[in-house]
Amino acid sequence: MAESTEVRKLVYLVTGGCGFLGEHVVRMLLQREPRLSELRVFDLHLGPWLEELKTGPVQVTAIQGDVTQAHEVAAAVAGAHVVIHAAGLVDVFGRASPKTIHEVNVQGTKNVIEACVQTGTRFLVYTSSMEVVGPNIKGHPFYRGNEDTPYEAVHKHPYPCSKAQAERLVLEANGREVRGGLPLVTCALRPTGIYGEGHQIMRDFYHQGLRLGGRLFRAIPASVEHGRVYVGNVAWMHVLVARELERRAALVGGQVYFCYDESPYKSYEDFNMEFLGPCGLRLVETRLLAPYWLLMLLAVLNALLQWLLRPLLLYAPLLNPYTLAVANTTFTVSTDKAQRHFGYEPLFSWEDSRTRTIRWVRAMEGSAQ
Ligand SMILES: NC(=O)c1ccc[n+]([C@@H]2O[C@H](COP(=O)([O-])OP(=O)(O)OC[C@H]3O[C@@H](n4cnc5c(N)ncnc54)[C@H](O)[C@@H]3O)[C@@H](O)[C@H]2O)c1
Ligand SMILES: CC(C)CCC[C@@H](C)[C@H]1CC[C@H]2[C@@H]3[C@H](O)C=C4C[C@@H](O)CC[C@]4(C)[C@H]3CC[C@]12C
């Protein structure tokens, strides 16, 4: 915990505070926000690790709740100075219905905004996603673009559609009068693919590699760049922008920021190998054996099987036409907007981020090393 002479008087609420990113935001706030007096952690499923946080100088209040329930959200928001809304249903695999995704991501966000307005909370940070922009379904590359780069954002999939709608609601709410008469100040952060300790898909790839005798098979050309950002830096960006929303309301309010750091530009699989390689896995070159049309055929078959089996069981493999299109389309960002607007610099270097992630993979059960 950071010791500080600053007065602790602020109440923060983190929705989705027990998720992959949310846990890092919660821990980062406790370490790096010296003005914090109470931290409310709101989630559908509370993590047992919250208990160990309750012994420090900040009051940590765990709230089991559902963002789709307006009254639960309003009760959690009442009296908070800042809300970081990271709760969301992250599903591009067809596990949840489009209706459920919409309810959690769009209606849930509406509930958070209305709760701020009704209870007088003035500062709201929304965790958006790069998918609000793309990749689009036409496969257009977004090569090291920034927040102002023109791009034809065309969404069909429920997850990016819901994130785009929710982001729009948050940005439109900037300037609304909250209880007490002051204006609401909002902004949205758009992470690219987040990685780091706790990343479920990295875990899945690692275990798949172990099952395949320490091998993974390349499916995507190495030339396709996929944007990635370390979870600690994404968390840090949330903490920093939340702090600066008050001081720089005119500049930051209503803005969007991509989340970025020094992580290298690589293909999705080559990037994963930065961590999985040192943990004993190798990437086998099979691109000639698995051309794009064959992968697309498998992806379509998976989608068909998912649909056929739905009455009996949930079949939701990583490969489907949408995930294949995302993984196979260059989407990378290069920007300094967060640095210019609120002084963001990555807290973790690429070396730190890599070392921490490798340490986490190595600590997983069944390590190949
Ligand atoms: N993981 C990524 O690569 C990535 C990239 C860009 C943006 N994001 C965004 O970051 C946010 C966090 O994603 P994550 O990767 O940590 O996912 P996650 O699934 O690990 O975390 C989401 C959390 O939200 C909670 N939640 C879900 N439905 C809820 C509900 N109805 N009420 C209350 N809580 C609910 C979950 O229990 C979970 O703890 C999401 O909004 C996601 O869209 C994630
Ligand atoms: C073709 C297969 C072998 C590889 C499949 C990989 C696939 C599961 C990965 C590739 C890209 C990943 C997405 C990307 O990193 C960004 C995001 C944005 C975020 O808001 C939610 C997660 C998501 C969609 C990642 C999901 C997993 C993807 C599609």
Side-chain angles (χ1 to χ4, degrees), residues 4 6 117 162 196 243 269 272 367:
S4 163
E6 285 190 68
V117 170
S162 69
R243 186 186 295 164
E269 291 164 315
N272 285 353
S367 170

Side-chain angles (χ1 to χ4, degrees), residues 192-358:
T192 52
I194 308 174
Y195 69 93
E197 305 94 299
H199 187 213
Q200 184 56 46
I201 299 176
M202 184 83 76
R203 212 180 257 141
D204 293 345
F205 272 103
Y206 179 60
H207 287 131
Q208 189 178 347
L210 290 185
R211 280 196 299 274
L212 294 172
R215 287 166 301 178
L216 285 167
F217 298 95
R218 186 190 290 284
I220 304 298
S223 57
V224 176
E225 281 187 2
H226 188 81
R228 304 293 287 271
V229 59
Y230 177 61
V231 66
N233 288 324
V234 180
W236 174 229
M237 227 171 134
H238 281 71
V239 171
L240 207 56
V241 80
R243 186 186 295 164
E244 296 297 320
L245 269 183
E246 183 168 12
R247 233 162 43 95
R248 309 192 198 198
L251 179 65
V252 176
Q255 295 288 327
V256 296
Y257 301 93
F258 278 121
C259 297
Y260 56 90
D261 60 14
E262 298 154 357
S263 302
Y265 298 112
K266 287 190 173 226
S267 75
Y268 191 77
E269 291 164 315
D270 283 313
F271 192 84
N272 285 353
M273 289 313 291
E274 288 283 345
F275 320 105
L276 302 181
C279 295
L281 299 197
R282 67 195 175 87
L283 188 62
V284 181
E285 300 292 334
T286 52
R287 285 267 312 133
L288 289 177
L289 293 176
Y292 185 72
W293 66 263
L294 184 59
L295 284 172
M296 186 43 102
L297 187 70
L298 285 175
V300 171
L301 272 176
N302 275 343
L304 189 68
L305 269 177
Q306 178 173 77
W307 181 73
L308 287 172
L309 294 173
R310 199 175 282 286
L312 304 171
L313 56 93
L314 179 65
Y315 175 67
L318 288 183
L319 181 66
N320 63 46
Y322 180 73
T323 58
L324 180 59
V326 175
N328 201 47
T329 306
T330 286
F331 196 100
T332 42
V333 302
S334 173
T335 176
D336 63 354
K337 184 173 174 184
Q339 193 274 325
R340 285 185 285 110
H341 280 204
F342 54 91
Y344 164 77
E345 296 287 351
L347 196 57
F348 302 92
S349 66
W350 161 237
E351 267 317 306
D352 280 351
S353 311
R354 187 169 175 270
T355 306
R356 284 165 177 263
T357 308
I358 292 171

